[in-house]
Amino acid sequence: MANSASSPVRLLYDVRVRAVLYQVVAVALVLGIGLYLFGTVSRKLAEQNIATGFDYLSRPAGFVISQSFISYDSGNTYGRAILVGLLNTIWVSVFAVILSTVLGLVVGIARLSRNPLLSTLALLYVEALRNVPLLLYLFLWYALIVAVFPPVREAWQILPDVFLSNGGLIMPSIRWSAAHTGVLASATIGIVLAFVVAAFMRRHRVASGHARAAWPFVLAALFVPPLIGFLLFQPDLVVNWPEKGRFRITGGLQVTPEFTALLVGLGLSASAGIAEIVRAGILSVGRGQWEAARSVGLHDRQTMRLVVLPQALRVIIPPLTSSYLSTFKNSSLAIAIGYPDLVMVSNTTMNQTGQAIEGIAIFMLVYLGMSIAISMLMNWYNARVALVER
């Protein structure tokens, strides 16, 4: 009896049990405080006859959104309007991450160049972009686009059926339908399946010791799903051509000045920080790795690509995750230049419905969820590229 009674006490001396217990208690306290505050606020709002809850999401929004990547008009619901703002935020953030990564990698390597002119230009690039607030750059790029490019009626035709003006870039596009979405989903499945097949073939080759060509299986996994999707859904390849009128251009795909200014501002600002991250990661690799690579006949570019960068990733990935998170969260500054992101659409919704708590809760949960997803993805990749002691 004494041993059974003392067993819970002995468990408390286990570090892992205490760690889990502390986390459970902390989560319970946070949830308790949150429920208490929510109940108090709901009661006070009810006393003032202010509606609460998320029923308003099913009501017609009644306002127009200047840019949408899915079909939307003023007769749609507030819920669809918020979805449009979320997709706008994700769209510009993803492109900004890609742009900043490419520029940061190039500038970071240029900072270490033995060419003094190239390294100095890279240094000036980093210092100029890193030491100026992002909001000022957004205003700058937006003002340049509006001031430099001609009005819509005098738009430049830079390519056949491609027009550029202060109203944005307009180009031909495909009339999107549910069939195109099905083919896109099939292509996504093909890409994921190709990675899975490549990883399986790599493990099989290591385990068996037999060198077997993997590329036929990878190509089959990559192209068969979209081919099946194309034959199954049979999308219509109808091109929506832009038509230039006297005062405006109708049809086609329009890239707005707000989207362009936000993309350039976010991408360039984040690329300066990523360049320093890349430079620090490369400098963390010992000089002996360079000398060993040269001793087996590798050129400097081959050494950088095959030897140095793979080892530098273990230093680059953790701060790179923070940079990606900052880029995603900094996209909320889009409201300053009129880009209809999640925050701007939510603000419009709150102004019309008066339900500020629900609106703030929605975009806070969205930003939290997206940040956690980015962190999990980058942590998974960091675990894949981490060096393992033998």
Side-chain angles (χ1 to χ4, degrees):
M1 293 292 293
N3 291 336
S4 62
S6 61
S7 58
V9 178
R10 287 203 305 268
L11 285 176
L12 293 178
Y13 289 97
D14 191 329
V15 176
R16 291 173 297 179
V17 173
R18 289 206 308 270
V20 173
L21 181 61
Y22 293 155
Q23 294 181 54
V24 171
V25 172
V27 171
L29 286 175
V30 171
L31 290 177
I33 295 172
L35 290 175
Y36 171 76
L37 294 176
F38 179 78
T40 302
V41 172
S42 299
R43 187 173 61 255
K44 294 296 183 182
L45 292 176
E47 292 175 356
Q48 300 179 19
N49 295 324
I50 298 178
T52 58
F54 296 93
D55 295 338
Y56 73 96
L57 294 177
S58 60
R59 300 203 303 263
F63 61 87
V64 177
I65 299 178
S66 60
Q67 179 169 332
S68 172
F69 295 100
I70 59 174
S71 59
Y72 173 83
D73 57 52
S74 58
N76 290 126
T77 62
Y78 284 112
R80 190 169 184 84
I82 292 176
L83 176 61
V84 170
L86 173 60
L87 293 178
N88 287 347
T89 297
I90 294 175
W91 189 256
V92 73
S93 299
V94 168
F95 277 96
V97 163
I98 296 173
L99 176 63
S100 63
T101 303
V102 174
L103 289 177
L105 179 62
V106 173
V107 176
I109 295 175
R111 288 272 282 114
L112 301 172
S113 174
R114 290 192 292 266
N115 186 327
L117 177 60
L118 182 59
S119 61
T120 302
L121 290 176
L123 174 63
L124 293 176
Y125 176 92
V126 170
E127 296 301 326
L129 291 174
R130 191 174 59 172
N131 295 314
V132 176
L134 173 60
L135 186 60
L136 294 182
Y137 272 119
L138 295 182
F139 287 139
L140 172 64
W141 294 117
Y142 185 70
L144 286 177
I145 292 174
V146 174
V148 172
F149 294 152
V152 175
R153 61 178 178 272
E154 300 174 4
W156 297 332
Q157 185 172 352
I158 56 178
L159 290 172
D161 296 305
V162 178
F163 301 93
L164 182 64
S165 68
N166 58 10
L169 177 68
I170 302 178
M171 64 187 76
S173 64
I174 297 177
R175 292 182 180 175
W176 200 262
S177 64
H180 294 90
T181 304
V183 174
L184 180 61
S186 302
T188 304
I189 294 173
I191 294 173
V192 174
L193 189 60
F195 277 105
V196 173
V197 170
F200 174 79
M201 295 296 294
R202 190 183 307 113
R203 287 196 299 267
H204 181 270
R205 183 172 63 250
V206 172
S208 63
H210 298 294
R212 187 177 183 182
W215 62 267
F217 301 96
V218 175
L219 290 180
L222 180 62
F223 290 108
V224 168
L227 179 60
I228 294 176
F230 186 84
L231 296 176
L232 181 63
F233 296 104
Q234 297 182 356
D236 295 327
L237 300 179
V238 179
V239 179
N240 186 12
W241 299 99
E243 298 180 0
K244 184 178 181 181
R246 184 175 180 182
F247 298 105
R248 64 173 185 158
I249 300 175
T250 59
L253 173 66
Q254 181 179 11
V255 181
T256 63
E258 293 81 10
F259 176 87
T260 305
L262 183 61
L263 172 62
V264 173
L266 286 174
L268 293 184
S269 179
S271 67
I274 293 177
E276 291 298 279
I277 293 172
V278 171
R279 184 175 71 92
I282 293 174
L283 290 177
S284 69
V285 179
R287 295 297 303 174
Q289 299 294 319
W290 290 88
E291 296 168 359
R294 293 192 183 104
S295 68
V296 297
L298 295 181
H299 301 295
D300 285 348
R301 282 178 293 181
Q302 293 175 320
T303 301
M304 178 67 72
R305 181 171 59 90
L306 301 175
V307 178
V308 176
L309 277 181
Q311 297 183 67
L313 283 177
R314 59 178 177 170
V315 177
I316 292 174
I317 295 300
L320 190 63
T321 303
S322 299
S323 179
Y324 287 169
L325 291 173
S326 297
T327 301
F328 176 71
K329 290 181 287 188
N330 287 339
S331 65
S332 60
L333 293 175
I335 192 173
I337 57 175
Y339 179 73
D341 70 325
L342 177 63
V343 176
M344 182 175 178
V345 174
S346 298
N347 285 342
T348 304
T349 300
M350 288 186 290
N351 290 334
Q352 291 189 357
T353 62
Q355 297 184 241
I357 296 177
E358 292 84 352
I360 294 174
I362 287 175
F363 69 73
M364 284 181 64
L365 289 175
V366 167
Y367 276 103
L368 178 61
M370 293 300 299
S371 298
I372 292 175
I374 294 172
S375 298
M376 292 177 62
L377 178 63
M378 294 299 292
N379 289 336
W380 170 82
Y381 182 72
N382 187 36
R384 291 291 304 270
V385 302
L387 296 181
V388 180
E389 295 293 339
R390 297 183 179 179

